Amino acid sequence: MGCPAKTSTRARHMTLRTKIKRNAYYDSVTLMLLSRELQNLEGVEDVLVGMGTDLNLDLARDLGLATSELEALTPNDLFIAAKIDESKTSMDVLESAFNDYLNKRAETDGDDDFQPSSLSSAIQSMPGANMVLVSIAGEYAAAEVDEALDAGLHVMLFSDNVSVEDELRLKQKAVEKGLLMMGPDCGTAIINGKPLCFANAVRRGKIGVVGASGTGTQEVTVQVHKLGEGLSQVIGTGGRDLKEQIGGLMMIQGFQSLIADPETDLIVLISKPPAPSVAEKIYQIAKTSPKPVVIDFIGGDRAAVEAAGAVPCISLEDAAQKAVRILRGEAYADFTGFSLPDEQIDRIIEREVAKLKPDQTELRALFTGGTLADEAMKLLGVHHDIYSNIPLSPEMAIENLPSGRGHICLDLGEDKFTRGRPHPMIDPQTRTEFFKSHVDGNTGVILVDVVLGFGSYHDPAGAVAESVREIRHRLAEQGKDVVVVASVCGTELDSQDLNKSIETLEAEGVIVLPSNAQAVRFTDRVLQRMKKGV
Amino acid sequence: MSVNDLFKQELKVINLGLKSFQNDLKSQGVTTVQVNWKPKAGGKKNMLNLLGRISKTKKL
Amino acid sequence: MRTLNAITAADDLLEFLGTHPGERSRIHSVYPHALNLLVGESTLITITNRADLTPMGLELSPSESFAGLARAGEEIMLGTESLRSVNAAFEVNLEGASVWQSNLRADHPPRPIEEIASLRRRLAGWLASQPATGLMPLLPRLAKLPPRIGQASGNIYSRYIAEDLAALTGAINASDWEHAQTLADRLVGFGMGSTPSCDDFLAAYLLVLKAAEMLHPGRFGWVSAFNRAIARKAENRSTLLSANMLRHASAGKTGRSHQRLLRTCLLNVKDDLADAASQVFGHGASSGGDFLLGLLCAMEWYQNAISETSKKGESAWVALQRPQPAPGI
């Protein structure tokens, strides 16, 4: 089961316990996720959840988890068979976790609060409603957004699978009515200081952001907060907004509203490079903006931004740094380095690379945030040949990886990896599996992002730390170690706690850098140092 | 009510979909209401399995 | 009394109701989108408010909700015009419901053999790009594909059953039916879920075998006996839901989306393979993936079986004119 060896003192305290639920019917994904939840509880060494068929009971026996209570089971009964340390937990705890988990998953109808059964009755029941947050299946979303806009409400559209035609039509309607239509596929916004969907807890302040990239927006807000400033409004546009067909309608709408907002003193725009006609429209607005504008069109045309009188950026962190400096009236420059002095960085790199054997030459970068993965590819992909599902060129697509050898950087939140399973920011299991399957004796350096905040898993740092433990243990059997680099996108106000997350990672020997850009830059230096020879 | 008007008001959110989003808003003291949403009767002619549709189908 | 209207009724259910008038059933289980009734010891009737109708099933409009309708154990009276709860809280009205055919039909010629190989490759490629749940981590091994990036290392169930599953597919490919039956003893009832993974895997085989029998009359005469023998194993060794599913599959009966996929694979019809596969994949969490894996393996058998010369087929048929399922060719 992949558990590290236990010491004999722990083994002495292990007891086998069984819980049986008669005539219980759950789908297999529920049971699988449930098994994992139970496996992760403190004091649980091993657990198997399944229907009481003969063969499943055989498995329980072979795993050393069977007790006499299992003998009486019928195939229509559910069993939970566990090996637990009774000084740390009990079957009651497991059962309670089991029930809690199922209740959470039930999308409960048994809610005490009134639940109107349609948008229109909801609008009637809450007269002051000003925003609708839509995360239903894409094919139904457009009709609901239509209704919301008709009723004069702003919309945050988290759903994807909405057609381009619908997006255009809905955004045109929204613009006509002076409303926000953030999305489709919009994961991050903070309106009036309230995080929506995936967003971090950050202080309020004078910097306004309009972003077409979820985790890109998150990183910028987090960096602004770290530097001691705050956010007035953070508006999302959805990933397709700046394409030709949509024409940047929401970026423009958001941009203009921030120019008009008395609480916003400086504006930051974040996106992948827009279609040229769309970029042009934005530059026109920037030229006449009375407030300073910082534009991070990730990897885009620097000169064009400058010509528009706006400030270009080389990374998300750089965008935040410049925004803060300009707000404070300080001088600014491209931030290309590290928070720590160069000599210290080099010392750390020397020490880490010294741990490696000559055949440990490969990078494994596993990201949960798409824009953060993008930032990594933009820098690392230039200096090294990186295979990826978001490659810089078609021949570097991950499918072309020569028999598993080479540098790899994956965006695990991309469609291919999230079909039928939760996004890796919500559930770390996908990345945990990739750590197991993709990290081996040829891996020299691992790079990850750890995203905190609303919507994210309750302990992403813990999940990474656990995986790092497993990897180091596995490689130690070959007499090897590995370099692990991370950044944590979060604040001390997030429920997952930035400082605690950093400590958890550092306790496992992970090198934690203060931003994604620095983590990527650090990894680049590690790779260059590795090339020179250990 | 324009975007700039929204900035001056207290956010009041109607949530259509994932309950976890509503829970997060509630935890921040935002007034919200959850819609117990179902597709309209006779909505789409070809009523396809919702789960199968949430993921994009990849063309072979 | 609340009245729910059935839009569609499966033909086998209507026949059952006609031959079991006034019989009582009990509510077996309630899901957000389905209700199962148990008749007698082991027959299930499934009422759903989604489009995926199953054999012995009824389809209601998606706007009908099961929430708070009934609890497990309540009695429901069966009739050809309606199903009525004994405490008169609700009834399901069958009048006006369209009839749906629950079994595979050979209403088109079979897909030409030249197309089967490429279809198998496309299906394998599609499946390999999906998240690997249930038995799917065994895809590279069972479909003889090179291991690909993105394949998880598997789960406790898939690792435990790998050898047994490989042995079964090997026996079937070698037409060693008796051995395959014995091997199935190691598989029926094994795996996660209310329909254990291996049962879903086997269901795909049973359906392909049945289809082969229908599409190529005279060549696969042993299928009925083999299928019955496999399905019978589930009666005591697996969940009720699974036993019903395998019983139906052994007779060539399966749900709407599965029928569509099987037709796309085996008949000479025009359809979107990825779309059909997605519909099945999204069904019932990992059940769809396990079924698809079984389908892929069964298609390998099918392709080899129909490309054998007809002379061989004839002699095999002659050799099989015995009550027991025969040893392989």
Side-chain angles (χ1 to χ4, degrees):
Chain A
M1 297 280 284
C3 294
K6 306 285 185 199
T7 64
S8 57
T9 24
R10 280 188 77 178
R12 239 185 278 136
H13 292 298
M14 291 297 154
T15 323
L16 286 185
R17 289 280 177 240
T18 314
K19 190 81 208 165
I20 293 173
K21 299 212 169 265
R22 305 229 168 258
N23 285 311
Y25 307 100
Y26 303 104
D27 68 76
S28 45
V29 160
T30 302
L31 290 184
M32 212 169 347
L33 292 175
L34 191 52
S35 286
R36 255 192 276 135
E37 284 284 312
L38 297 180
Q39 185 82 47
N40 288 334
L41 292 175
E42 233 224 292
V44 175
E45 167 161 323
D46 218 341
V47 64
L48 187 69
V49 179
M51 302 303 284
T53 61
D54 290 343
L55 291 181
N56 286 347
L57 297 183
D58 278 350
L59 175 60
R61 275 178 218 112
D62 283 359
L63 293 176
L65 292 172
T67 63
S68 53
E69 291 137 288
L70 292 184
E71 304 305 320
L73 283 196
T74 77
N76 295 298
D77 302 321
L78 178 76
F79 68 85
I80 305 171
K83 194 184 271 180
I84 58 178
D85 179 346
E86 292 205 303
S87 66
K88 296 211 172 112
T89 190
S90 70
M91 218 46 192
D92 285 340
V93 169
L94 263 71
E95 179 160 25
S96 176
F98 179 94
N99 291 332
D100 285 347
Y101 186 82
L102 290 174
N103 288 336
K104 263 193 281 161
R105 268 187 83 83
E107 293 259 353
T108 173
D109 287 334
D111 209 298
D112 287 340
D113 303 341
F114 165 61
Q115 286 197 358
S117 56
S118 72
L119 178 56
S120 45
S121 70
I123 293 170
Q124 279 168 0
S125 76
M126 190 159 77
N130 42 30
M131 164 106 41
V132 183
L133 174 45
V134 182
S135 58
I136 58 178
E139 68 182 315
Y140 301 107
E144 302 296 331
V145 173
D146 249 320
E147 202 178 318
L149 294 173
D150 284 340
L153 298 169
H154 300 270
V155 173
M156 167 103 168
L157 179 55
F158 178 81
S159 318
D160 61 3
N161 272 311
V162 172
S163 72
V164 174
E165 295 75 30
D166 278 338
E167 179 177 352
L168 179 61
R169 185 176 56 76
L170 293 168
K171 281 182 171 167
Q172 283 168 337
K173 183 189 279 201
V175 167
E176 212 182 308
K177 296 173 139 268
L179 297 169
L180 284 174
M181 208 297 270
M182 300 185 279
D185 201 19
C186 177
T188 304
I190 310 178
I191 302 296
N192 299 351
K194 305 296 184 189
L196 296 168
C197 301
F198 291 85
N200 300 90
V202 292
R203 76 175 68 77
R204 279 210 78 192
K206 295 300 192 179
I207 297 176
V209 175
V210 189
S213 315
T215 43
T217 305
Q218 285 188 260
E219 173 82 341
V220 168
T221 60
V222 155
Q223 295 298 329
V224 163
H225 176 94
K226 271 196 193 147
L227 293 164
E229 293 301 331
L231 290 304
S232 56
Q233 303 287 347
V234 177
I235 299 169
T237 67
R240 256 189 329 221
D241 193 62
L242 287 96
K243 295 227 185 292
E244 183 87 39
Q245 306 108 303
I246 306 293
L249 287 175
M250 263 315 114
M251 173 68 70
I252 291 166
Q253 172 99 308
F255 193 3
Q256 287 170 332
S257 68
L258 292 178
I259 290 173
D261 176 34
E263 300 305 318
T264 301
D265 290 348
L266 180 144
I267 298 159
V268 180
L269 306 181
I270 307 163
S271 164
K272 294 202 181 115
S277 61
V278 178
E280 201 34 57
K281 287 192 228 169
I282 294 168
Y283 296 146
Q284 285 311 316
I285 303 172
K287 277 199 186 111
T288 60
S289 162
K291 300 174 184 175
V293 182
V294 173
I295 297 184
D296 187 16
F297 286 157
I298 300 164
D301 183 354
R302 202 181 168 111
V305 172
E306 280 166 342
V311 179
C313 313
I314 57 156
S315 75
L316 298 161
E317 175 186 33
D318 186 47
Q321 296 234 352
K322 285 176 174 153
V324 168
R325 287 194 200 283
I326 294 170
L327 188 71
R328 291 173 177 169
E330 294 167 7
Y332 62 89
D334 290 347
F335 185 70
T336 57
F338 298 95
S339 305
L340 291 178
D342 258 349
E343 312 80 61
Q344 204 174 338
I345 293 286
D346 284 334
R347 263 205 303 280
I348 298 172
I349 293 177
E350 280 304 317
R351 182 195 75 207
E352 290 293 310
V353 172
K355 298 194 298 200
L356 302 175
K357 293 273 184 314
D359 62 345
Q360 289 183 274
T361 54
E362 294 177 351
L363 166 72
R364 293 293 181 262
L366 300 173
F367 280 87
T368 61
T371 316
L372 303 177
D374 215 44
E375 228 184 22
M377 286 302 295
K378 290 275 178 330
L379 173 62
L380 296 173
V382 170
H383 297 159
H384 313 275
D385 283 336
I386 314 239
Y387 290 89
S388 174
N389 60 329
I390 47 163
L392 294 186
S393 61
E395 54 288 359
M396 299 310 290
I398 191 68
E399 289 79 22
N400 298 335
L401 183 68
S403 11
R405 299 272 62 96
H407 298 311
I408 295 177
C409 174
L410 296 176
D411 168 11
L412 295 175
E414 201 240 318
D415 282 351
K416 169 206 210 81
F417 298 122
T418 56
R419 212 159 294 165
R421 55 181 4 194
H423 192 281
M425 271 167 59
I426 301 175
D427 177 359
Q429 186 63 15
T430 305
R431 183 155 65 177
T432 303
E433 283 167 14
F434 272 84
F435 277 128
K436 290 207 179 108
S437 60
H438 283 55
V439 173
D440 60 22
N442 291 114
T443 307
V445 57
I446 296 169
L447 171 63
V448 295
D449 60 342
V450 179
V451 182
L452 315 183
F454 289 97
S456 279
Y457 188 64
H458 68 85
D459 185 14
V464 170
E466 177 69 52
S467 292
V468 171
R469 253 199 298 283
E470 185 271 326
I471 288 166
R472 291 207 203 277
H473 182 82
R474 188 161 35 102
L475 292 181
E477 285 164 12
Q478 302 173 39
K480 288 178 172 168
D481 199 346
V482 71
V483 182
V484 186
V485 183
S487 67
V488 182
C489 179
T491 71
E492 73 287 357
L493 301 175
D494 284 323
S495 65
Q496 304 93 338
D497 196 317
L498 174 64
N499 296 316
K500 188 154 166 293
S501 297
I502 295 175
E503 272 166 32
T504 302
L505 293 165
E506 287 181 335
E508 295 302 328
V510 176
I511 311 295
V512 182
L513 282 299
S515 72
N516 187 55
Q518 288 189 45
V520 169
R521 220 169 276 140
F522 184 91
T523 304
D524 182 41
R525 280 214 197 171
V526 169
L527 287 171
Q528 313 246 19
R529 183 68 192 78
M530 278 160 57
K531 265 197 224 166
K532 288 210 191 90
V534 274
Chain B
M1 175 236 322
S2 72
V3 182
N4 291 94
D5 290 332
L6 174 68
F7 292 165
K8 298 196 195 96
Q9 296 173 354
E10 186 200 330
L11 203 62
K12 290 195 175 156
V13 182
I14 296 174
N15 191 47
L16 229 76
L18 299 174
K19 197 99 177 42
S20 57
F21 289 152
Q22 195 213 15
N23 292 337
D24 285 341
L25 286 169
K26 270 201 212 167
S27 74
Q28 300 172 71
V30 176
T31 307
T32 74
V33 73
Q34 174 76 22
V35 174
N36 185 11
W37 183 84
K38 287 181 180 31
K40 300 200 165 58
K44 218 170 166 354
K45 279 226 171 93
N46 222 8
M47 269 306 302
L48 297 163
N49 183 321
L50 269 182
L51 278 177
R53 269 341 205 173
I54 282 173
S55 39
K56 292 190 182 123
T57 54
K58 178 174 152 183
K59 289 290 169 203
L60 292 183
Chain C
M1 154 125 96
R2 209 176 127 193
T3 302
L4 304 155
N5 291 303
I7 310 178
T8 324
D11 54 356
D12 59 346
L13 174 62
L14 292 173
E15 193 190 314
F16 182 85
L17 293 172
T19 52
H20 294 76
E23 188 147 334
R24 284 180 181 230
S25 67
R26 273 181 295 118
I27 295 187
H28 171 267
S29 46
V30 184
Y31 293 87
H33 295 283
L35 194 71
N36 288 315
L37 308 180
L38 178 64
V39 190
E41 285 297 297
S42 62
T43 303
L44 287 177
I45 296 174
T46 304
I47 307 175
T48 178
N49 66 359
R50 294 216 277 225
D52 206 8
L53 189 49
T54 53
M56 292 293 280
L58 290 176
E59 179 192 12
L60 311 181
S61 153
S63 59
E64 305 272 30
S65 168
F66 293 117
L69 184 69
R71 308 165 79 98
E74 281 180 26
E75 287 208 319
I76 312 289
M77 289 275 282
L78 303 183
T80 47
E81 271 143 43
S82 75
L83 310 180
R84 182 178 305 200
S85 73
V86 152
N87 62 12
F90 74 93
E91 71 168 355
V92 181
N93 175 31
L94 302 176
E95 284 178 294
S98 330
V99 180
W100 168 75
Q101 284 199 270
S102 57
N103 60 308
L104 294 172
R105 279 143 289 140
D107 53 8
H108 282 263
R111 190 165 282 295
I113 182 161
E114 317 80 68
E115 291 175 26
I116 299 279
S118 99
L119 188 140
R120 277 177 54 216
R121 267 195 305 277
R122 283 158 58 212
L123 186 59
W126 184 90
L127 203 54
S129 68
Q130 303 306 311
T133 55
L135 298 174
M136 283 171 61
L138 300 175
L139 173 65
R141 178 173 176 180
L142 295 177
K144 298 168 194 107
L145 300 173
R148 290 180 59 146
I149 299 297
Q151 288 297 327
S153 55
N155 53 68
I156 186 68
Y157 283 97
S158 71
R159 283 195 292 272
Y160 188 79
I161 207 67
E163 293 306 323
D164 291 317
L165 216 49
L168 176 86
T169 58
I172 292 182
N173 284 339
S175 300
D176 193 345
W177 304 105
E178 211 165 293
H179 188 43
Q181 263 189 75
T182 315
L183 289 170
D185 287 339
R186 298 288 313 139
L187 300 173
V188 172
F190 183 81
M192 282 275 201
S194 296
T195 53
S197 301
C198 286
D199 294 3
D200 293 306
F201 184 91
L202 287 167
Y205 263 105
L206 300 188
L207 288 163
V208 170
L209 287 170
K210 196 68 187 168
E213 183 194 46
M214 283 188 320
L215 291 169
H216 307 273
R219 288 185 62 179
F220 301 106
W222 66 87
V223 162
S224 296
F226 177 80
N227 277 10
R228 268 199 303 277
I230 300 293
R232 216 175 295 132
K233 292 176 199 285
E235 303 286 343
N236 291 319
R237 285 190 251 166
S238 193
T239 66
L240 253 180
L241 261 85
S242 208
N244 277 263
M245 174 195 64
L246 285 170
R247 195 185 310 138
H248 295 313
S250 74
K253 295 195 289 174
T254 186
R256 240 188 208 140
S257 57
H258 292 66
Q259 275 194 38
R260 179 193 173 195
L261 179 59
L262 286 159
R263 290 169 65 83
T264 308
C265 290
L266 299 169
L267 300 181
N268 202 10
V269 296
K270 254 193 151 71
D271 200 348
D272 184 333
L273 180 64
D275 203 63
S278 277
Q279 256 195 291
V280 169
F281 190 81
H283 168 80
S286 88
S287 320
D290 297 326
F291 180 89
L292 283 162
L293 185 61
L295 176 61
L296 197 56
C297 294
M299 292 290 289
E300 182 186 1
W301 167 80
Y302 178 75
Q303 183 183 333
N304 293 332
I306 61 172
S307 58
E308 282 161 8
T309 64
S310 55
K311 190 171 177 138
K312 239 178 155 186
E314 281 161 30
S315 62
W317 172 234
V318 164
L320 289 168
Q321 297 305 311
R322 293 187 244 156
Q324 305 290 329
I329 298 163

